[in-house]
Coordinates of all heavy atoms in Angstrom, one line a residue:
R1 N 16.0 10.5 13.4 CA 15.3 9.9 14.5 C 13.8 9.8 14.2 O 13.1 9.0 14.8 CB 15.5 10.8 15.7 CG 16.9 10.6 16.3 CD 17.2 11.6 17.4 NE 17.3 13.0 16.9 CZ 17.3 14.1 17.7 NH1 17.2 13.9 19.0 NH2 17.3 15.3 17.1
A2 N 13.3 10.7 13.3 CA 11.8 10.8 13.0 C 11.3 9.6 12.2 O 10.1 9.3 12.2 CB 11.5 12.1 12.4
H3 N 12.2 9.0 11.4 CA 11.7 8.1 10.4 C 11.0 6.9 11.0 O 10.0 6.3 10.6 CB 12.8 7.7 9.4 CG 13.7 6.6 9.8 ND1 14.9 6.8 10.5 CD2 13.6 5.2 9.7 CE1 15.5 5.7 10.7 NE2 14.8 4.7 10.3
E4 N 11.6 6.4 12.2 CA 11.0 5.2 12.8 C 9.7 5.6 13.5 O 8.8 4.7 13.6 CB 12.0 4.6 13.8 CG 13.2 4.0 13.1 CD 14.1 3.4 14.1 OE1 14.0 3.7 15.3 OE2 15.0 2.5 13.7
V5 N 9.6 6.8 14.0 CA 8.3 7.3 14.5 C 7.2 7.4 13.5 O 6.1 6.9 13.6 CB 8.5 8.6 15.3 CG1 7.2 9.1 15.9 CG2 9.6 8.5 16.3
F6 N 7.6 7.9 12.3 CA 6.7 8.0 11.2 C 6.2 6.6 10.7 O 5.0 6.5 10.3 CB 7.4 8.7 10.0 CG 6.7 10.0 9.6 CD1 7.4 11.2 9.8 CD2 5.4 10.1 9.1 CE1 6.8 12.4 9.5 CE2 4.8 11.3 8.7 CZ 5.5 12.4 8.9
A7 N 7.1 5.6 10.8 CA 6.7 4.3 10.4 C 5.5 3.7 11.1 O 4.8 2.9 10.6 CB 7.9 3.4 10.5
R8 N 5.3 4.2 12.3 CA 4.2 3.7 13.1 C 2.8 4.0 12.5 O 1.8 3.2 12.7 CB 4.2 4.3 14.5 CG 5.4 3.9 15.3 CD 5.3 4.5 16.7 NE 4.2 4.0 17.5 CZ 4.2 2.9 18.2 NH1 5.3 2.1 18.2 NH2 3.2 2.5 18.9
I9 N 2.7 5.0 11.7 CA 1.4 5.3 11.1 C 1.1 4.6 9.8 O 0.0 4.5 9.3 CB 1.2 6.9 10.8 CG1 2.1 7.3 9.6 CG2 1.6 7.7 12.1 CD1 1.8 8.7 9.1
V10 N 2.2 4.0 9.2 CA 2.0 3.4 7.8 C 0.9 2.4 7.8 O 0.1 2.4 6.8 CB 3.4 2.9 7.3 CG1 3.2 2.1 6.0 CG2 4.4 4.0 7.1
P11 N 0.8 1.4 8.7 CA -0.3 0.4 8.6 C -1.7 1.0 8.7 O -2.6 0.4 8.4 CB 0.0 -0.5 9.8 CG 1.5 -0.3 10.2 CD 1.7 1.2 9.9
H12 N -1.8 2.3 9.2 CA -3.1 2.9 9.5 C -3.5 3.8 8.4 O -4.5 4.5 8.5 CB -3.0 3.6 10.8 CG -2.6 2.8 12.0 ND1 -3.5 1.9 12.6 CD2 -1.4 2.6 12.6 CE1 -2.8 1.3 13.6 NE2 -1.5 1.7 13.6
L13 N -2.6 4.0 7.3 CA -3.0 4.9 6.2 C -3.9 4.2 5.2 O -3.7 3.0 4.9 CB -1.7 5.4 5.6 CG -0.7 6.2 6.4 CD1 0.6 6.5 5.6 CD2 -1.3 7.5 7.0
D14 N -4.8 5.0 4.7 CA -5.6 4.5 3.6 C -4.7 4.5 2.3 O -3.6 4.9 2.3 CB -6.9 5.3 3.3 CG -6.6 6.8 3.0 OD1 -5.6 7.1 2.5 OD2 -7.5 7.6 3.4
E15 N -5.2 3.9 1.2 CA -4.4 3.7 0.0 C -3.9 5.0 -0.5 O -2.8 5.1 -1.0 CB -5.3 3.0 -1.0 CG -4.5 2.6 -2.3 CD -5.3 1.6 -3.2 OE1 -6.4 1.2 -2.8 OE2 -4.8 1.4 -4.3
E16 N -4.7 6.1 -0.5 CA -4.3 7.4 -1.1 C -3.2 8.0 -0.3 O -2.2 8.4 -0.8 CB -5.5 8.3 -1.1 CG -5.1 9.7 -1.6 CD -6.3 10.7 -1.7 OE1 -7.5 10.2 -1.4 OE2 -6.1 11.9 -1.9
D17 N -3.3 8.0 1.1 CA -2.3 8.6 1.9 C -1.0 7.7 1.9 O 0.1 8.2 2.1 CB -2.8 8.8 3.3 CG -3.5 10.1 3.5 OD1 -3.5 10.9 2.5 OD2 -4.2 10.4 4.5
H18 N -1.2 6.4 1.8 CA 0.0 5.5 1.7 C 0.8 5.9 0.5 O 2.0 5.9 0.5 CB -0.4 4.1 1.7 CG 0.7 3.1 1.9 ND1 1.6 2.8 0.8 CD2 1.2 2.4 3.0 CE1 2.5 1.9 1.3 NE2 2.2 1.7 2.6
A19 N 0.1 6.2 -0.6 CA 0.8 6.5 -1.9 C 1.5 7.9 -1.7 O 2.6 8.1 -2.2 CB -0.2 6.6 -3.0
R20 N 0.8 8.8 -1.0 CA 1.5 10.1 -0.7 C 2.7 10.0 0.1 O 3.7 10.6 -0.1 CB 0.5 11.1 0.0 CG -0.7 11.5 -0.9 CD -1.7 12.3 0.0 NE -1.1 13.6 0.4 CZ -1.4 14.2 1.6 NH1 -2.3 13.6 2.4 NH2 -0.9 15.3 1.9
F21 N 2.6 9.2 1.2 CA 3.7 8.9 2.0 C 4.9 8.3 1.2 O 6.0 8.7 1.3 CB 3.3 8.0 3.2 CG 4.5 7.6 4.0 CD1 5.0 8.4 5.0 CD2 5.1 6.3 3.9 CE1 6.1 8.0 5.8 CE2 6.2 6.0 4.6 CZ 6.7 6.8 5.6
S22 N 4.6 7.2 0.5 CA 5.6 6.5 -0.3 C 6.3 7.4 -1.3 O 7.5 7.3 -1.6 CB 5.0 5.3 -1.0 OG 4.5 4.4 0.0
G23 N 5.5 8.3 -2.0 CA 6.0 9.1 -3.0 C 6.7 10.3 -2.6 O 7.6 10.8 -3.3
H24 N 6.4 10.9 -1.4 CA 6.9 12.2 -1.1 C 7.8 12.2 0.2 O 8.8 12.9 0.3 CB 5.8 13.2 -0.9 CG 5.0 13.4 -2.2 ND1 5.4 14.1 -3.3 CD2 3.7 13.0 -2.5 CE1 4.5 14.0 -4.2 NE2 3.5 13.4 -3.8
L25 N 7.4 11.5 1.2 CA 8.1 11.5 2.5 C 9.1 10.3 2.6 O 10.2 10.5 3.1 CB 7.1 11.4 3.7 CG 6.3 12.7 3.9 CD1 5.4 12.5 5.1 CD2 7.1 13.9 4.0
Q26 N 8.7 9.2 2.2 CA 9.7 8.0 2.3 C 11.0 8.3 1.6 O 12.0 7.9 2.2 CB 9.0 6.8 1.7 CG 9.8 5.5 2.0 CD 9.1 4.2 1.6 OE1 7.9 4.2 1.5 NE2 9.9 3.2 1.3
P27 N 11.0 8.9 0.4 CA 12.3 9.2 -0.2 C 13.2 10.1 0.6 O 14.5 9.9 0.6 CB 12.0 9.8 -1.6 CG 10.6 9.3 -1.9 CD 9.9 9.2 -0.5
I28 N 12.6 11.0 1.4 CA 13.4 11.9 2.2 C 14.1 11.1 3.4 O 15.3 11.2 3.6 CB 12.5 13.0 2.8 CG1 12.0 13.9 1.7 CG2 13.3 13.8 3.9 CD1 11.0 14.9 2.2
F29 N 13.3 10.3 4.0 CA 13.8 9.5 5.1 C 14.8 8.5 4.7 O 15.9 8.3 5.3 CB 12.7 8.8 5.9 CG 11.7 9.7 6.6 CD1 10.3 9.7 6.3 CD2 12.2 10.6 7.5 CE1 9.5 10.6 7.0 CE2 11.3 11.5 8.2 CZ 10.0 11.4 7.9
T30 N 14.6 7.9 3.5 CA 15.5 6.9 3.0 C 16.8 7.6 2.6 O 17.9 7.1 2.9 CB 15.0 6.2 1.7 OG1 13.7 5.6 2.1 CG2 15.9 5.2 1.2
D31 N 16.8 8.8 2.0 CA 18.0 9.5 1.7 C 18.7 9.9 2.9 O 20.0 9.9 2.9 CB 17.6 10.8 0.9 CG 18.7 11.7 0.6 OD1 19.5 11.3 -0.3 OD2 18.9 12.7 1.3
N32 N 18.0 10.2 4.0 CA 18.7 10.6 5.2 C 19.4 9.5 6.0 O 20.5 9.6 6.4 CB 17.7 11.3 6.1 CG 18.2 11.7 7.5 OD1 18.2 10.9 8.4 ND2 18.7 12.9 7.6
Y33 N 18.7 8.3 6.1 CA 19.3 7.2 6.9 C 20.2 6.3 6.1 O 21.0 5.6 6.6 CB 18.2 6.4 7.7 CG 17.4 5.5 6.8 CD1 17.9 4.3 6.3 CD2 16.0 5.7 6.7 CE1 17.1 3.4 5.6 CE2 15.2 4.8 6.0 CZ 15.8 3.7 5.4 OH 15.0 2.8 4.7
A34 N 20.0 6.4 4.7 CA 20.9 5.6 3.9 C 22.1 6.3 3.4 O 22.6 6.1 2.3 CB 20.0 5.1 2.7
T35 N 22.7 7.1 4.2 CA 24.0 7.7 3.9 C 25.0 6.6 3.8 O 24.8 5.5 4.4 CB 24.4 8.8 5.0 OG1 24.3 8.1 6.3 CG2 23.4 10.0 5.0
V36 N 26.1 6.9 3.2 CA 27.1 5.9 2.9 C 28.5 6.2 3.4 O 28.7 7.4 3.8 CB 27.2 5.6 1.4 CG1 25.8 5.2 0.8 CG2 27.7 6.9 0.6
P37 N 29.3 5.2 3.6 CA 30.7 5.5 4.1 C 31.4 6.5 3.2 O 31.2 6.6 2.0 CB 31.3 4.1 4.0 CG 30.2 3.1 4.0 CD 29.1 3.8 3.3
H38 N 32.2 7.3 3.9 CA 33.0 8.3 3.2 C 33.8 7.7 2.1 O 34.0 8.3 1.0 CB 33.9 9.1 4.2 CG 33.1 9.8 5.2 ND1 33.7 10.6 6.1 CD2 31.8 10.0 5.4 CE1 32.8 11.2 6.9 NE2 31.6 10.8 6.5
A39 N 34.4 6.5 2.3 CA 35.2 5.8 1.3 C 34.4 5.5 0.0 O 34.9 5.5 -1.1 CB 35.8 4.5 1.9
S40 N 33.1 5.3 0.2 CA 32.3 5.0 -1.0 C 32.1 6.2 -1.9 O 32.2 6.2 -3.1 CB 30.9 4.5 -0.6 OG 31.0 3.3 0.1
I41 N 32.0 7.4 -1.2 CA 31.9 8.6 -2.0 C 33.2 8.9 -2.6 O 33.3 9.3 -3.8 CB 31.5 9.8 -1.1 CG1 30.1 9.5 -0.4 CG2 31.5 11.1 -1.8 CD1 29.0 9.5 -1.4

C-alpha cells in the first residue's frame, strides 16, 4: 500500500535523492507488488 504513496514524492526529489530512491527503495516496492501467479512459480 505504501508504494503509491511514496510515488508522490518522486517528482519533487533532486537528482541525488532520485538516484537513491531508484537504487534502494524502488527495487523493494517493485519486488513486493510484482509478485507472480503461483502457477508461474
Side-chain angles (χ1 to χ4, degrees):
R1 290 172 290 168
H3 82 270
E4 292 183 343
V5 183
F6 243 112
R8 294 182 65 86
I9 73 168
V10 173
H12 306 280
L13 298 176
D14 59 28
E15 189 171 350
E16 180 181 350
D17 275 351
H18 191 280
R20 293 174 66 211
F21 174 82
S22 300
H24 301 288
L25 291 182
Q26 187 173 336
I28 295 170
F29 293 123
T30 302
D31 178 74
N32 176 270
Y33 74 71
T35 54
V36 300
H38 295 182
S40 296
I41 300 295

